[in-house]
Amino acid sequence: MHAFRQILRIETRLYLRDLPTLLTTVGLPTLILVVIGLVPSLRKPDPTFDGQTFVSYFAPSLLVVTLAMVGVNTLPSVLATYRERGVLRRLATTPAHPAALLAAQLVLALAGILASAVLLIVVGRLAFGVPFPRHPLGFALAFVLGTASLLALGLLVAAVARTTKAAQALAVPLFLVTMFFGGVYLPRFLLPDVVARIGDYTPPGVQALLDAWTGTSPQPLHLAIMAVIAVAAGASAAKLFRWE
Amino acid sequence: MSVIEVTHLRKRYGDLVAVDDVSFAVEPGEIFGILGPNGAGKTTTVECVAGLRVPDGGGVSVLGLDPRRDAAQLRQRVGVQLQESQLPDRLRVAEALELYASFYRNPADPAALMDRLGLGEKRNTAYKKLSGGQKQRLSIALALVGNPEIAILDELTTGLDPQARRDTWGLIEQVRDSGVTIVLVTHFMEEAERLCDRVAVIDRGLVVALDSPAGLVSRVAPEQRIRFRPSAPVDDRLLSDLPEVSAVQRTGSQVVVTGTGDLLHAVTSVLARHQIVAADLRLEQSTLDDAFVELTGHRPVD
Ligand SMILES: Nc1ncnc2c1ncn2[C@@H]1O[C@H](COP(=O)(O)OP(=O)(O)OP(=O)(O)O)[C@@H](O)[C@H]1O
Ligand SMILES: [Mg+2]
């Protein structure tokens, strides 16, 4: 526990030192929100979106941006780099277990995601009248399970990829698919219905986020699927993870 | 009692037998060298000792403990420098040492260690910005920061310039003098000759010799050669009758005497008795290099 705290302290410093990554992780979704929000017609309530504005309708997809970036991109590539460079192995020769470093990275990934989400929600509320999530409990649940499912997938990538290159080769398509089904590239109302329905069940479960944000409780099945993915991917990652 | 005992160690990677049959024992307070050509199985051997790899056969005991079963205890007491292991790019020298120091119950003072290794001025430099030699020294420092009873150093001075290499040797001697047992994997014969009390030469996963550096040299390549120009004519027989001498040759005005044992003393005293002065006298001895080539059929790198 002591070693974990020390490692977390140092890893936090390293995380804050990598300014470009930090800014992208925390700020990119909000930046996109601001750009979209500057278009007046996108701030008008529209029947296509059940009387909400496009900005409100699109906000959950912006959350997907951070979740995908951190979960399936940054996390696995950091872990794969640490393994490839022998950082994990070197730690294994000391009284600290390399799992402490992995745990620290998870904490930082969560912190980045949380900071990004809070910034997005607050700026959306203050600048563009996007309401705070109307079903807070449901939103928290959808957010936690969605995050868990993507982080678990990221860990699985880190577990099976032997090198940094291999990790990226796996992470990039996973990232693109997550973003696509999350309605980031094309807003979901433009996607064919079947694609949008698939997106309800791909991590992080953007429909559950949207439902909770706009007021109805998320559908249990959507949440359950995220939980199943999180547990299955997490367990496989734990089983397959290589320290060297 | 030996601090490290390795008996019939065997380790395969798939079909490749990296370590076939390696046995040795390391005594308290000595610097024990492991020499051998590339791919001989040196790193694999010390990684089994350090508990990083599970042997396929044979036994390893470190400080009377099992490197796998008693890993938690041994990690406090054994410091390891791995051959290929880097740190995060943005991590600074002092941060790395302080972090690693915090893992141990009774760590060394990171600041003092940095000074001893000539890293004091680099304390706030990021790992990425260190030179190869500085990275190497940081790596050594990390192996020592826990005040270990045993330090396992794989390729201690690879990548260092000659001056830094000598400084590091001085440091290792100091560490040994403070009571630490050291296992040193090296490619450099000069390093082994200077530092090691005993050396195991490993080739293709087997120990082909185990002795002191001087012992290895005299056992494998005992020949010595003396060249000189006598001030007065010398009868060959004067020299060839000496028990130490195996051959006497002449090249021009030069006499070349080959033999074993205390050859130099034997030759010079017989010359002195006959009032002959040996001008341009040179003694050529085999070195650990020659012994290495003899034992493994490889030229040592460098
Ligand atoms: N992780 C691994 N997986 C598969 N093969 C390996 C692995 N590590 C080493 N080997 C192989 O095992 C053999 C012994 O390797 P080892 O690293 O122990 O040699 P070494 O004596 O330390 O060599 P060097 O002087 O080059 O460091 C080599 O043939 C090497 O290719
Ligand atoms: Mg090696």
Side-chain angles (χ1 to χ4, degrees):
Chain A
M1 205 56 210
H2 170 72
F4 167 72
R5 275 207 310 277
Q6 298 295 328
I7 290 174
L8 180 59
R9 201 166 58 86
I10 294 288
E11 288 298 315
T12 306
R13 278 198 218 165
L14 298 184
Y15 189 75
L16 296 177
R17 241 169 240 167
D18 182 4
L19 216 54
T21 308
L22 182 67
L23 287 180
T24 315
T25 304
V26 177
L28 186 65
T30 303
L31 183 71
I32 302 174
L33 181 83
V34 169
V35 171
I36 294 171
L38 290 177
V39 180
S41 65
L42 300 180
R43 288 201 307 264
K44 293 210 178 73
D46 188 319
T48 319
F49 314 122
D50 292 332
Q52 311 169 62
T53 67
F54 175 78
V55 176
S56 297
Y57 171 81
F58 196 59
S61 291
L62 289 174
L63 269 185
V64 175
V65 176
T66 307
L67 289 169
M69 272 194 312
V70 175
V72 299
N73 213 347
T74 316
L75 180 69
S77 70
V78 168
L79 290 178
T81 310
Y82 276 2
R83 176 172 45 216
E84 185 168 285
R85 305 187 69 187
V87 176
L88 298 177
R89 238 163 106 61
R90 155 143 253 159
L91 215 48
T93 69
T94 74
H97 194 277
L101 182 52
L102 194 149
Q105 281 301 324
L106 272 176
V107 169
L108 288 172
L110 277 173
I113 288 170
L114 210 60
S116 172
V118 168
L119 186 70
L120 182 79
I121 291 170
V122 169
V123 170
R125 173 75 183 78
L126 297 182
F128 309 110
V130 178
F132 282 139
R134 292 219 167 93
H135 199 291
L137 189 66
F139 184 79
L141 211 57
F143 183 69
V144 165
L145 290 174
T147 303
S149 63
L150 274 181
L151 289 180
L153 282 177
L155 285 178
L156 187 57
V157 169
V160 297
R162 292 196 168 200
T163 62
T164 311
K165 277 217 174 71
Q168 269 152 7
L170 281 172
V172 168
L174 199 56
F175 176 77
L176 296 178
V177 167
T178 304
M179 297 276 274
F180 176 72
F181 284 111
V184 180
Y185 297 129
L186 267 184
R188 280 153 39 88
F189 73 95
L190 294 176
L191 294 174
D193 196 50
V194 55
V195 173
R197 291 292 76 74
I198 293 173
D200 295 350
Y201 299 98
T202 58
V206 65
Q207 186 62 45
L209 287 168
L210 182 63
D211 287 345
W213 205 325
T214 55
T216 51
S217 66
Q219 292 177 30
L221 184 61
H222 290 163
L223 296 181
I225 296 284
M226 291 314 127
V228 167
I229 292 174
V231 169
S236 325
K239 197 153 181 266
L240 298 172
F241 203 90
R242 302 160 45 95
W243 299 107
E244 58 178 84
Chain B
M1 199 198 82
S2 308
V3 285
I4 298 176
E5 272 176 65
V6 175
T7 42
H8 303 296
L9 180 69
R10 198 177 156 77
K11 175 73 191 172
R12 268 176 295 133
Y13 299 110
D15 285 342
L16 183 117
V17 179
V19 175
D20 194 359
D21 183 359
V22 165
S23 303
F24 59 82
V26 179
E27 303 307 320
E30 76 172 333
I31 300 184
F32 187 85
I34 298 181
L35 276 176
N38 287 128
K42 307 181 293 296
T43 295
T44 306
T45 300
V46 294
E47 285 179 347
C48 290
V49 173
L52 288 170
R53 294 196 187 282
V54 190
D56 294 320
V60 178
S61 142
V62 179
L63 296 166
L65 301 167
D66 178 323
R68 300 297 295 185
R69 218 186 40 234
D70 310 309
Q73 264 198 68
L74 283 177
R75 287 193 191 112
Q76 284 284 349
R77 300 170 68 184
V78 180
V80 183
Q81 184 221 274
L82 298 170
Q83 183 177 2
E84 274 158 14
S85 143
Q86 295 168 292
L87 291 171
D89 278 342
R90 291 187 176 78
L91 187 62
R92 294 174 187 160
V93 171
E95 285 172 343
L97 275 168
E98 279 156 17
L99 176 65
Y100 275 63
S102 76
F103 300 153
Y104 295 90
R105 276 197 288 272
N106 172 33
D109 173 21
L113 202 53
M114 274 186 280
D115 287 338
R116 253 168 90 186
L117 280 151
L119 288 168
E121 284 176 14
K122 295 283 167 193
R123 51 173 300 125
N124 288 320
T125 305
Y127 183 77
K128 184 173 54 178
K129 301 233 167 99
L130 295 176
S131 75
Q134 289 160 348
K135 286 179 181 163
Q136 188 74 4
R137 275 182 274 161
L138 176 56
S139 183
I140 297 168
L142 291 179
L144 299 176
V145 76
N147 265 333
E149 290 162 55
I150 301 175
I152 298 175
L153 307 168
D154 195 352
E155 308 271 329
L156 174 71
T157 60
T158 305
L160 297 189
D161 64 42
Q163 184 55 46
R165 185 170 296 154
R166 283 189 173 69
D167 292 348
T168 309
W169 292 347
L171 173 85
I172 295 305
E173 281 169 336
Q174 278 178 40
V175 172
R176 189 261 308 271
D177 292 343
S178 67
V180 180
T181 305
I182 294 169
V183 176
L184 190 71
V185 175
T186 183
H187 273 128
F188 298 111
M189 300 303 133
E190 202 191 340
E191 181 165 298
E193 255 174 327
R194 153 92 190 259
L195 284 179
C196 297
D197 299 302
R198 289 186 310 136
V199 175
V201 181
I202 297 187
D203 189 24
R204 296 189 195 91
L206 295 166
V207 176
V208 292
L210 203 168
D211 206 336
S212 65
L216 279 183
V217 174
S218 62
R219 215 162 43 136
V220 177
E223 290 277 274
Q224 308 169 37
R225 186 172 291 146
I226 296 175
R227 295 170 186 276
F228 61 92
R229 239 195 334 266
S231 61
V234 199
D235 186 352
D236 274 10
R237 238 174 315 150
L238 206 60
L239 296 166
S240 56
D241 282 351
L242 292 168
E244 287 86 356
V245 173
S246 55
V248 180
Q249 292 159 297
R250 291 180 183 264
T251 50
S253 61
Q254 246 189 6
V255 181
V256 182
V257 184
T258 38
T260 53
D262 202 352
L263 182 67
L264 184 63
H265 179 72
V267 170
T268 48
S269 39
V270 83
L271 291 176
R273 246 180 284 134
H274 292 81
Q275 270 121 44
I276 298 169
V277 177
D280 299 337
L281 180 106
R282 268 200 326 213
L283 173 67
E284 290 165 12
Q285 262 174 320
S286 308
T287 62
L288 199 51
D289 270 42
D290 303 314
F292 185 87
V293 175
E294 188 80 15
L295 284 165
T296 66
H298 293 71
R299 273 254 132 244
V301 291
D302 194 8

